[in-house]
Amino acid sequence: MTKRLYYDQPDLLEFDSTVEEVHAPSAEGRCSFALRESAFYPTSGGQVHDTGWLSLESGERVRVSEVGEAEDGRVVHYLEAPSEAPVAAARVHGSIDPGRRRDHMQQHTGQHVLSAAFLELYQFPTVSFHMGDDYCSIDLATPTLTAEQVIGAERRTNEIIFENRGVTIRYVSRAEAETLGLRKLPPAERDELRLIEIANFDLSACGGTHVFATGQIGSVLLRKTEKTRQGMRVEFVCGGRAVRMARRDYGALVESAGLYSAQIWDLPAQIRKSFEEVRAARKEKEEALDELAGAMVEAALIGSPVDRVTGSSETLAAARSAPRIITRVFADRDVVFAKLFAQKAARAGGGVVALVASTVSPPGVVFAQAPGGPADMGALLKQALAAVGGRGGGTHDFAQGGVPAGCDVEKLLQDTGGKIG
Ligand SMILES: [Zn+2]
């Protein structure tokens, strides 16, 4: 087993060691090895691994990009493309990325305080902890979580942070641990347990890296909560992350407020007002388009051939009983308007068949007639679309479909009109 230097010296960032075992390169050509002792933290217990550098005897300084844990308890270090792989028994010098380690210590210790606060205030135990690149989260065993409880736990956690309580490490036997009232007793696999104690607030078994006093956590900021299968998930950020996150949020708010020439705290009211304006404008537009389509149908009917038929009463009667076909191609209005126009024309009375198209992307055609009219709109559309490679369908009285861009819809409507009466 690798001697884990971070157990007793979580602030140790530089160390000397000896290569104990070099592993065969992975399929991706990654080189990995174990050291006799290491200050690198391997991904485990919800906390993600350290990164850093390793100086080899050749003088080469190589990036340690990932650190894992083997089943036998060894810490496995993965190197980013060294020109020469380290050999067994070689002396090396390890350097931990200090910013990343400090961040992990802040998030992890913050999690201990937060979990203890949820337990103290609301009796919600923590069932899991996750540390991501942007934020961390804990899953609480509770079916519900109110906004007041979130704020309450955040306030209590920050209180403990501001009181700068000591965080200490000690080792006890499993039997002794069972008498100490730990927040959570780990599964029975080790005889000796490493306990992390936050003075007069929390005692738990943990193998992670923690700060020395709660003040070093900086602060905690609780963010999103969501329901999960096992309870409620609470996202949080501590220390430097809380500042970065708040800075990012503030930037987004300032930019948004600039769009409204408003103060950031006036944004909800401004956005609500905008929504109402958009809704009213949309309604006005729909009404105006409806009126426009109605007026265009009237104009089309005045100009349709039946009004110009003259002659004997028989010819006039024949002309009046024949369907009145209105064809129209809209180059500046979409297919939604074309449909509105076609439906209004079909309802206008006098046996109108409306064959309408829009060439605005995506181009489409609409065929409509009064219920029970003389032709079969669905069948006509099917024929027309088959000829141009379009898609669509409909019923006896109404049919609609899309046509390929650049399709000669003028000709398509004329040909369809020719098939009626
Ligand atoms: Zn811990």
Side-chain angles (χ1 to χ4, degrees):
M1 270 173 74
T2 313
K3 182 172 164 41
R4 302 187 183 205
L5 301 172
Y6 62 83
Y7 272 169
D8 297 315
Q9 296 165 277
D11 56 344
L12 181 71
L13 299 172
E14 302 283 334
F15 67 100
D16 291 308
S17 189
T18 307
V19 175
E20 200 168 66
E21 189 183 52
V22 180
H23 309 126
S26 67
E28 307 90 55
R30 271 204 317 180
C31 162
S32 68
F33 60 92
L35 297 175
R36 191 161 299 157
E37 58 272 297
S38 178
F40 280 98
Y41 184 83
T43 296
S44 53
Q47 183 177 333
V48 287
H49 63 84
D50 283 321
T51 58
W53 299 268
L54 205 73
S55 302
L56 309 178
E57 277 176 332
S58 63
E60 190 182 359
R61 195 167 186 254
V62 199
R63 180 91 180 139
V64 178
S65 56
E66 197 186 330
V67 187
E69 207 175 29
E71 278 190 10
D72 63 2
R74 287 186 196 201
V75 176
V76 184
H77 308 72
Y78 295 89
L79 286 190
E80 223 166 64
S83 55
E84 196 183 328
V87 291
R91 293 293 293 165
V92 290
H93 179 81
S95 309
I96 310 292
D97 182 330
R100 186 175 162 98
R101 165 63 71 82
R102 190 185 305 117
D103 171 60
H104 291 177
M105 286 162 78
Q106 287 183 326
Q107 310 311 315
H108 193 135
T109 319
Q111 180 261 313
H112 281 236
V113 183
L114 181 62
S115 288
F118 269 117
L119 196 62
E120 179 199 65
L121 296 175
Y122 313 112
Q123 297 75 53
F124 296 160
T126 296
V127 288
S128 67
F129 162 51
H130 167 79
M131 187 188 285
D133 287 336
D134 286 333
Y135 61 84
C136 306
S137 64
I138 50 172
D139 285 357
L140 298 171
T142 169
T144 57
L145 185 64
T146 65
E148 288 72 34
Q149 288 169 333
V150 168
I151 292 167
E154 182 184 76
R155 189 187 301 123
R156 182 63 175 143
T157 305
N158 278 316
E159 253 171 39
I160 300 296
I161 292 172
F162 302 155
E163 285 167 14
N164 200 28
R165 298 192 187 205
V167 180
T168 48
I169 306 162
R170 64 187 156 114
Y171 299 87
V172 297
S173 68
R174 193 172 172 86
E176 193 188 342
E178 282 168 7
T179 68
L180 293 173
L182 265 60
R183 175 157 53 79
K184 192 179 165 191
L185 203 62
E189 35 181 58
R190 288 200 191 101
D191 297 335
E192 191 186 54
L193 294 179
R194 178 175 182 257
L195 301 188
I196 304 300
E197 179 158 29
I198 296 167
N200 301 316
F201 190 65
D202 185 50
L203 182 65
S204 38
C206 184
T209 54
H210 308 86
V211 296
F212 294 95
T214 57
Q216 289 179 296
I217 299 168
S219 62
V220 68
L221 178 68
L222 268 54
R223 294 170 62 85
K224 205 172 83 181
T225 62
E226 62 179 336
K227 219 172 163 46
T228 64
R229 209 178 301 162
Q230 52 185 354
M232 292 296 297
R233 180 161 298 164
V234 181
E235 291 181 9
F236 69 94
V237 278
C238 294
R241 283 194 196 202
V243 175
R244 281 199 301 278
M245 204 67 109
R247 169 60 53 195
R248 204 176 71 182
D249 293 351
Y250 183 70
L253 282 172
V254 165
E255 195 184 333
S256 308
L259 298 173
Y260 289 101
S261 305
Q263 300 291 345
I264 58 172
W265 48 85
D266 291 333
L267 272 176
Q270 286 284 349
I271 291 170
R272 221 168 281 131
K273 199 173 134 210
S274 273
F275 275 149
E276 279 158 21
E277 283 168 1
V278 167
R279 212 172 290 133
R282 196 179 294 144
K283 191 159 172 274
E284 265 178 42
K285 185 186 164 196
E286 277 167 12
E287 285 167 0
L289 285 176
D290 196 78
E291 277 177 36
L292 178 64
M296 288 175 98
V297 165
E298 271 180 40
L301 286 175
I302 290 165
S304 77
V306 72
D307 294 312
R308 294 195 294 271
V309 174
T310 52
S312 68
S313 57
E314 289 80 21
T315 17
L316 200 58
R320 288 210 185 279
S321 66
R324 303 168 74 183
I325 300 167
I326 295 176
T327 62
R328 174 64 66 91
V329 175
F330 292 107
D332 54 355
R333 302 211 169 269
D334 63 12
V335 75
V336 176
F337 186 82
K339 184 177 166 185
L340 192 61
F341 178 90
Q343 285 170 327
K344 280 190 180 293
R347 283 199 298 265
V352 170
V353 175
L355 306 174
V356 190
S358 163
T359 55
V360 172
S361 181
V365 291
V366 184
F367 298 171
Q369 66 180 2
D376 185 340
M377 299 295 105
L380 286 169
L381 184 87
K382 215 168 191 183
Q383 279 179 29
L385 293 184
V388 297
R391 290 163 65 111
T395 62
H396 181 82
D397 297 319
F398 180 85
Q400 183 179 352
V403 294
C407 166
D408 186 352
V409 286
E410 191 83 51
K411 184 173 178 300
L412 182 148
L413 298 187
Q414 291 305 333
D415 290 353
T416 303
K419 289 176 189 152
I420 304 169

